[in-house]
Structures are given as structure tokens and as C-alpha cells.
Amino acid sequence: GTPGIMSPDLAEPYTVKVQDGDLVLLMTDGVLDNLPTESLAKLVALMPNQEPDEIAKAIVRLAHNLSKSEFESPFTLAARAAGYHYPAQGKE
């Protein structure tokens, strides 16, 4: 394949059993690069009776706000751990 281009055949399939009332969250790396798993879990836990679209909007808002701050995102931390210089969001 072309370097830097992702292909569906590179995807890893998962099977997860769900129960009535479970909330399944699917999101891109653009969200997960900016939002630590712990923050995501806390946010969702604070919204037990909200509709899924409201939860989704809150997740996107939080990820966007963190991306504009000087917060050291999961992406920044992973890049640094791999030996790359990547400034914290909102810096440089």
C-alpha cells in the first residue's frame, strides 16, 4: 500500500458482547489522541441518563477543548515516549 494511507484490510476486527442498556462508543483517533481514557470514562459516568447524541457532543467538545489547551495529550505523551519531540497542544 501507499505509505501513510490506511486501508480497511489493516483493521483489527473485534467481537464484543453487549447487553441491553450498554453504551457503545466508536470514535476516531482524532478524539482519542486528545482525550485520555480516564477523562472519557469520567465524562460518560456523569451523563447516565443522557441521550447518546448528547454524550457524543460532550465527548467531542471535551476533546476539542483539550486540543486547544496546553494539556499534554495522549498523542503527545506517546510521541515523546517513542523518542519524538512533539509539543503539548496549544504550545508552539
Side-chain angles (χ1 to χ4, degrees):
T2 306
I5 302 296
M6 298 299 286
S7 170
D9 60 316
L10 298 174
E12 295 181 35
Y14 291 91
T15 301
V16 179
K17 292 186 181 205
V18 296
Q19 299 176 23
D20 192 30
D22 285 351
L23 177 66
V24 178
L25 301 172
L26 303 175
M27 58 200 80
T28 68
D29 60 348
V31 173
L32 295 172
D33 283 349
N34 291 297
L35 187 57
T37 305
E38 303 81 29
S39 297
L40 177 60
K42 286 179 186 176
L43 176 64
V44 172
L46 292 171
M47 305 180 76
N49 299 316
Q50 296 293 318
E51 292 295 321
D53 65 321
E54 292 303 316
I55 296 171
K57 289 174 188 175
I59 291 169
V60 170
R61 270 193 307 274
L62 180 56
H64 181 258
N65 290 341
L66 288 173
S67 77
K68 301 296 182 188
S69 71
E70 293 190 19
F71 167 76
E72 291 198 321
S73 69
F75 179 86
T76 299
L77 296 173
R80 190 174 300 133
Y84 296 97
H85 170 71
Y86 194 85
Q89 307 294 77
K91 295 181 181 177
E92 294 185 38

